[in-house]
Amino acid sequence: MPHRSPLATHSTCRSRITLLPLAFLLFTSSICHAQAVHDTWRYTLGKPAAEWQSDSFDDSDWQEAGGGFGTRDTPGARVGTVWATNNIWLRKSFDLAAIPNNPALLIHHDEDADVFLNGIPIGQFKGYTTEYQVVSIDRAKRSALKLGRNTLAVHCRQTGGGQFIDVHLVDGDNVPKLPAPPRDTKPFQSELITTWGADVTPENAWTEYPRPQLQRDNWINLNGNWDYAITPVEQTEQPNGWDGEILVPFCLESKLGGVQRLLDATDALWYRRTFRATPSASKRALLNFEAVDYRCEVFVNGQSVGKHQGGNTAFTFDITEALQDGDNELVVRVEDETENYQLRGKQTLNARGIWYTQVSGIWQTVWLEEVSPNHIRDLKIATDADTGSITVTPLVQGDGEVHVVVKDGDNVVAEGSGNDAIELTIADAKLWSPSSPHLYDIEATLVGADAVTLDRVASYAGIRNVGKAQDAEGNWRFTLNGDTIFHWGPLDQGWWPDGLLTPPSDEAMLFDIEWLRDAGFNMIRKHIKVEPRRYYYHCDRLGMMVWQDQVSAGNNPKWTRLQPDPEDAVWPDQHHRQFMVELERMIGLLENHPSIVVWVPFNEAWGQHRTLDVGKWTVDRDPSRLVNIASGGNFWPVGDVVDAHAYPHPEFPFDQGAGGRFEDYIKVMGEFGGHGYPVKGHLWDANRRNWGYGGLPQNEAEYKARYVTSLKMLNELRGKGIAAGVYTQTTDVEGEINGLMTYDRKVIKIPAKELARLHTLLFQSSKTDATAFPDSAFIPPRPREGIQSRDLGENAQTINDTESPKG
């Protein structure tokens, strides 16, 4: 999503500071005997009672925190407490043993501020500063000072962009050096929790088998309560003591993890638990991590069994040699800097606007399985709708031959054996599509030279071909199994108020997909996040196409969008190599899923670098899918798609295609909409500046009207050649309230049935595209036979059932 939120840009072009009735004095360096700095304040974000400035006012019910107050992206700010609303009122008391010779205020304000001393106004400041200023108190106002107890009160108003307020009484001739604010180790702690999150326990935390396309029977789930500790990053020895328990697989910062602690580059995060094992000379023990953010080393019984870097995909260590009979100790050490070149998606050290709470440590399932020394490491599955075939390429550890059986229900429809690609043709094959997501079951058995079964795994496949074709007007369109299909889906970020990147449960994750299907979407753009593998399994069986984004990093080029002469960021070789390692891991992890139809290496210009090289590599790596090189980003001629982002309503720069720049590419609206609507009682933080694109509507009717307007505009663009639309977004996320449902999934802003009815507009043919859009290609997805359509149940509301706050 583009970086255009009200919190995202510092307003550096506003009018400069006006000081009334104070005389300006340049800020000088600190010297000895300066007035001591008192940095603890009481504050409120709601308008206080009258006489709040008075030294006798009772502020005991106000919150207490350290200064200054604001957002960390504000120039020159030393933020001790995040403040992100329009107004803040502050009070602090301090003692004076002597009146300073030159009483002054040391102040940094963004924007307008009123300052009071013992109830008397001593300064009114307009506009903003970008650094601290020393301002002498007018002689006529100095009588407000007194020996002993004094109270400083401040009101700061903010309208947009970065913001900050910090004020201290000082001696202007002996200005103190302000201390660095104490590091904030706590993320924002919202009261929101999903229905599923409220039911999470150590016993039921993600107990499902995590690898649906390579299943074995013999496995142990290691989720649950682990010990944890945080040490200085320099410490490489296991801690002597532990800080408490954390619920795996929920991250350190999440509510469900039970800790809610921020990690940074100066910290190392440690985990410990025990498990019982009975090692066998005929078996190997494989320890699996579905995802750990970001860099880790794993120890079993004090022995290092492996290291891993990359926070978004699964990895495995063979721990056989480290195992002992009985109890075994498992320790994981994690480092996570979050920013710079690290692939992190929407995580940030300074959560605001479109950037969310960081995620550190184990955030997906940890599990153990036993295999024979000779075993199937993986299966690579390809399909061809034209021939009705499934090709299975086994990757085998050791020796043996693989026998593959394909079943449709209980019926065997094909089988074959080999060690390389095993092509199996199915008579009258049933093809996979959103309206009929048929899956074939696969069983692969590794057989030794003596015909003994060494390993057996279960998998599945959906037969389908992804492609593109030109319509009668020469516009490129998406095809599925040779038929043109309009891709219509939401931007789906996969964040949760209780688990952050980790869904509270498999059931919760499934709910989102089913609700989107029932709302008439046939595609999901999975936005700069790799979900648990079960997510894609559910998309496979429910018939939901997926555009899969690569997780993004920072270090961006100038964002030129679809303009000619695009730019790339310059990335050092070592960081580019890691980017490519993680891109290959993502594709390798997910390439068997029929639901994934498009790879998106870059979003907008976030970390966009070596675009042509990355695009050509991706096209060669997986020719069975289409490549959208940079959704909304700097357009380079590579891959299959040219993608525009526009907010709030969709628009595409067709005129920039003159000279054939876009002629060979599928044109899509990769993001639009973002219409916000706040629902009281379901906001991540009711006190912050919650926002949506284009400002907030005044009521429900206006909100729905905006959505319908965007839909109609998208349909007009469809007639002009646009082949897909991505609406922002499925749910609210932290301060973004532009979801079709609230962050906690408890309030549906537009019911699924109503959305499905509205969306039929996009699946109807018209005079301009009658030959390119047969009616049969635009049937909205229907529930698959045998799969029950889900509802939110008694815990859900529609927007009509809620009090609708003003925008």
Side-chain angles (χ1 to χ4, degrees), residues 532-545:
R533 285 184 267 191
R534 292 187 60 84
Y535 181 91
Y536 305 96
Y537 159 67
H538 291 312
C539 289
D540 292 343
R541 68 184 186 84
L542 294 173
M544 185 65 75
M545 295 185 295

Side-chain angles (χ1 to χ4, degrees), residues 667-686:
K667 304 178 188 71
V668 306
M669 283 305 312
E671 288 182 28
F672 73 94
H675 301 298
Y677 196 71
V679 180
K680 186 176 180 181
H682 299 271
L683 298 173
W684 170 255
D685 178 6

Side-chain angles (χ1 to χ4, degrees), residues 1 114 120 131 151 168 241 272 338 396 401 456 481 495 608 633 635 691 700 771 786:
M1 298 171 61
D114 298 316
I120 298 173
E131 60 184 13
T151 299
H168 303 275
R272 181 185 68 174
T338 296
V396 175
E401 183 179 65
R456 179 178 287 114
N481 304 326
W495 283 76
Q608 189 175 348
F635 175 70
W691 62 277
E700 176 197 350
T771 59

Side-chain angles (χ1 to χ4, degrees), residues 408-435:
D408 186 4
D410 294 329
N411 300 319
V412 175
V413 295
E415 57 184 314
S417 298
N419 291 316
D420 297 320
I422 305 167
E423 184 174 351
L424 305 165
T425 300
I426 300 168
D428 300 320
K430 301 172 184 176
L431 304 185
W432 186 96
S433 70
S435 59

Side-chain angles (χ1 to χ4, degrees), residues 34 57-58 74 104 220 351 382 459 470 480 496 802:
F57 180 80
D58 181 6
T74 304
I220 299 172
S459 188
Q470 286 181 290
L480 185 67
W496 301 80
T802 67

Side-chain angles (χ1 to χ4, degrees), residues 587-634:
I587 293 175
L589 188 77
L590 302 178
E591 63 185 326
N592 289 350
H593 291 281
S595 56
I596 297 179
V597 295
V598 174
W599 298 118
V600 186
F602 297 110
N603 175 69
E604 296 181 351
W606 300 351
Q608 189 175 348
H609 70 284
R610 306 190 193 187
T611 306
L612 290 176
D613 291 343
V614 173
K616 291 174 183 176
W617 179 91
T618 308
V619 169
D620 292 341
R621 172 60 180 81
D622 186 4
S624 72
R625 292 179 173 88
L626 301 175
V627 175
N628 181 358
I629 185 59
S631 181
N634 296 349

